[in-house]
Amino acid sequence: MTSTLLPELDATPASSPAATVGSQRLLQRAVNQHPETLRRALAESGAVAPDDTVEWLSPVAHDDYREYRDMPAIRQLRVPAPLHRPLNDFWPPRGPVWDGLGITSRDVRVLVEAKAHLREAESPGSRAT
């Protein structure tokens, strides 16, 4: 996500402990202050159905903008237990910290890795299978 795609995200000043720069700041603002703008962008990209709503679970202000990884992310997404396979069978330990987590009105889980600049998108892949 870039401020070019969602220019209104730069309009509201960040408050502590919110991030002050980059994709983390933009996603925090989108989730907490402009969720409809973010939902529309996700719908236009095909990530969610056009009429879906999204309940954002992270990074939300009332949870101190916390981001989650591994099983805490799975629990935050309310994935029913037990998993069909143990997470460590297909996901490396200390996997990515997800920038955003949400659940759509159709019960689809949304995991967001936000990138504000092309350089951020050039990171190496994970060992996830």
Side-chain angles (χ1 to χ4, degrees):
M1 168 176 27
T2 67
S3 59
T4 303
L5 292 174
L6 303 171
E8 60 269 41
L9 299 185
D10 282 326
T12 309
S15 61
S16 187
T20 58
V21 296
S23 60
Q24 186 179 26
R25 180 194 79 203
L26 292 173
L27 188 62
Q28 286 175 356
R29 288 184 179 178
V31 165
N32 291 279
Q33 297 163 358
H34 303 282
E36 179 56 22
T37 300
L38 179 56
R39 189 208 61 77
R40 277 194 318 271
L42 290 169
E44 288 173 13
S45 74
V48 303
D51 58 343
D52 274 358
T53 59
V54 180
E55 175 190 1
W56 289 103
L57 308 168
S58 170
V60 292
H62 65 79
D63 191 26
D64 294 327
Y65 304 101
R66 190 165 317 199
E67 296 176 346
Y68 294 86
R69 72 163 35 144
D70 300 334
M71 280 308 292
I74 299 297
R75 283 191 293 275
Q76 188 71 7
L77 285 166
R78 303 179 201 136
V79 173
L83 298 176
H84 294 287
R85 290 176 37 200
L87 189 63
N88 61 2
D89 279 1
F90 63 93
W91 197 256
R94 298 199 43 82
V97 175
W98 294 103
D99 296 322
L101 300 173
I103 301 176
T104 72
S105 50
R106 295 175 200 250
D107 209 31
V108 172
R109 275 46 180 194
V110 178
L111 293 88
V112 176
E113 177 60 31
K115 301 296 182 191
H117 305 285
L118 288 177
R119 288 186 320 272
E120 288 183 295
E122 295 172 349
S123 61
S126 75
R127 295 186 332 239
T129 54

